[in-house]
């Protein structure tokens, strides 16, 4: 029996759009690009051959248009896995729930989703300017742990190995990480032969969770060193960012295909950063538009 979604669970605005994104079902394309910065939506859409609609609400800005015959929606998410939870659930609702009846559709749609972002490199071979495709994402934000079925889609041996390596096992104050593989087909298509493929750690914050110390001392001053040394089946943790795990995890649970690609704008090992990266990220945008 199809499930009914009450008004308190799926909030639909008076104009028929979904609550946060303010998008209507017909405005969503089957291919979706997610960016954190609302200002980057226009940069992506500047490459479109035509635009259908432009919608903005809070940090969520969306443009749907066409690029070389491909219908694409680009949406900003803001920062953090909590915002990815909003965006992914509302995108899935737009694709797979009938807004008139509030019942799940007979035929479910699988979206193709690529997040384009920036990150911090954690290895000597991921210097500033490197493009990294998140083959595996490890979330230390806890989001996926609120959803049934997380164990069925997670890499549990990797989770256990990382917990033991970091000394978090049995520590009630430590996060419970979840490890998710991105869709392999999307990784092959988007990463191609010119991106580093690695393990990405999605953190629940920019400062302490990523080992940055300003005026508050860190609970574990050696956390980043441990993360940099971690190895699993020949793979190393390549980068820090703040959204890839929620995207990969929710996509797997919802039946969508997703991956994350980021440009390194700071290398934590070399202690270098590039704040003038905005021109370079356009090269990554153009690659994704060609390959999505």
């Amino acid at each position: 029996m199809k499930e009914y979604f009450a008004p308190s669970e799926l909030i639909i605005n008076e104009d028929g759009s979904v609550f946060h994104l303010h998008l209507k079902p017909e405005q969503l394309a089957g291919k979706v690009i997610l960016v954190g910065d609302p200002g980057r939506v226009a940069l992506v859409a500047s490459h479109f051959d035509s635009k259908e609609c432009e919608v903005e609400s809070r940090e969520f800005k969306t443009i749907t248009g066409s690029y070389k015959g491909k219908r694409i929606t680009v949406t900003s998410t803001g920062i953090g896995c909590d915002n990815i939870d909003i965006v992914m659930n509302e995108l899935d609702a737009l694709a797979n729930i009938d807004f008139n009846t509030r019942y799940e559709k007979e035929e479910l749609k699988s979206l193709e989703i690529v997040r384009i972002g920036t990150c911090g490199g954690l290895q000597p071979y991921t210097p500033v300017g490197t493009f990294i495709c998140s083959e595996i994402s490890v979330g230390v934000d806890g989001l996926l742990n609120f959803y049934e079925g997380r164990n069925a889609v997670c890499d549990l041996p990797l989770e256990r190995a990382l917990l033991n390596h970091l000394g978090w096992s049995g520590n009630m104050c430590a996060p419970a990480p979840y490890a998710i593989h991105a869709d392999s087909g999307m990784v092959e298509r988007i990463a191609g032969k010119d991106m580093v493929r690695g393990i990405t750690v999605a953190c629940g914050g920019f400062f302490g969770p990523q080992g940055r110390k300003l005026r508050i001392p860190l609970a574990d001053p050696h956390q980043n060193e441990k993360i940099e040394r971690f190895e699993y089946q020949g793979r190393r943790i390549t980068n820090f960012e703040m959204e890839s795990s929620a995207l990969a995890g929710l996509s797997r649970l919802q039946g969508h295909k997703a991956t994350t690609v980021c440009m390194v704008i700071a290398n934590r090992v070399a202690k270098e950063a590039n704040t003038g990266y905005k021109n370079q990220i356009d090269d990554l945008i153009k690659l994704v538009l060609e390959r999505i």
Side-chain angles (χ1 to χ4, degrees):
M1 181 180 292
K2 293 186 298 181
E3 186 174 355
Y4 174 80
F5 301 96
S8 60
E9 307 307 291
L10 172 62
I11 304 175
I12 299 174
N13 299 316
E14 289 183 0
D15 64 354
S17 65
V18 74
F19 186 57
H20 294 93
L21 299 183
H22 278 243
L23 279 180
K24 298 176 182 179
E26 64 270 18
Q27 295 174 319
L28 175 66
K31 297 178 183 291
V32 180
I33 293 174
L34 300 181
V35 294
D37 182 359
R40 201 170 292 157
V41 172
L43 179 59
V44 175
S46 70
H47 300 287
F48 286 179
D49 303 313
S50 61
K51 299 174 187 176
E52 295 176 25
C53 65
E54 187 166 345
V55 179
E56 189 167 0
S57 174
R58 302 188 190 187
E59 63 265 55
F60 309 113
K61 181 173 181 178
T62 300
I63 297 176
T64 294
S66 177
Y67 177 82
K68 294 185 177 181
K70 296 182 284 191
R71 188 170 183 248
I72 299 172
T73 293
V74 54
T75 296
S76 61
T77 66
I79 296 174
C81 285
D82 51 343
N83 276 13
I84 294 293
D85 185 61
I86 291 171
V87 172
M88 283 304 300
N89 275 287
E90 293 198 351
L91 289 178
D92 181 69
L94 288 165
N96 293 314
I97 297 175
D98 186 319
F99 276 30
N100 294 316
T101 66
R102 294 185 167 273
Y103 281 97
E104 188 177 70
K105 292 180 179 178
E106 292 286 352
E107 293 187 15
L108 300 181
K109 182 183 294 184
S110 179
L111 302 173
E112 293 184 342
I113 305 166
V114 180
R115 190 183 94 75
I116 302 174
T118 57
C119 67
L122 294 173
Q123 299 297 337
Y125 57 86
T126 58
V128 168
T130 301
F131 295 164
I132 299 178
C133 183
S134 303
E135 197 167 28
I136 302 172
S137 293
V138 177
V140 291
D141 56 286
L143 188 142
L144 209 68
N145 299 328
F146 288 89
Y147 289 94
E148 182 181 344
R150 66 83 80 198
N151 283 2
V153 299
C154 287
D155 188 329
L156 302 182
L158 191 161
E159 292 176 10
R160 177 54 54 190
L162 183 61
L163 276 170
N164 291 337
H165 177 81
L166 294 174
W168 287 356
S169 296
N171 182 351
M172 294 293 291
C173 294
Y178 57 94
I180 296 282
H181 290 249
D183 181 81
S184 59
M186 291 293 286
V187 170
E188 286 299 320
R189 193 200 316 171
I190 302 299
K193 299 183 183 299
D194 48 11
M195 294 187 193
V196 171
R197 304 182 190 193
I199 302 176
T200 298
V201 171
C203 300
F206 183 77
F207 289 94
Q210 294 188 33
R212 288 185 174 90
K213 175 187 172 296
L214 295 183
R215 294 202 320 112
I216 306 173
L218 300 174
D220 182 358
H222 303 290
Q223 174 184 293
N224 279 20
E225 297 166 31
K226 295 174 186 176
I227 287 173
E228 290 157 15
R229 291 197 306 267
F230 179 72
E231 186 172 340
Y232 180 76
Q233 296 181 348
R235 294 184 176 97
R236 295 266 186 163
I237 294 175
T238 47
N239 57 318
F240 273 150
E241 51 89 77
M242 296 176 64
E243 292 87 15
S244 64
S245 59
L247 173 60
L250 293 173
S251 295
R252 288 285 299 275
L253 291 174
Q254 293 166 336
H256 305 299
K257 299 174 181 178
T259 191
T260 291
V261 291
C262 288
M263 186 179 81
V264 177
I265 63 169
N267 185 280
R268 305 300 297 281
V269 179
K271 299 189 183 303
E272 60 182 5
N274 173 24
T275 56
Y277 63 85
K278 294 193 176 180
N279 290 333
Q280 280 182 280
I281 203 162
D282 197 40
D283 294 332
L284 180 56
I285 288 169
K286 287 184 281 190
L287 273 181
V288 171
L289 284 169
E290 290 292 331
R291 296 172 182 178
I292 192 171

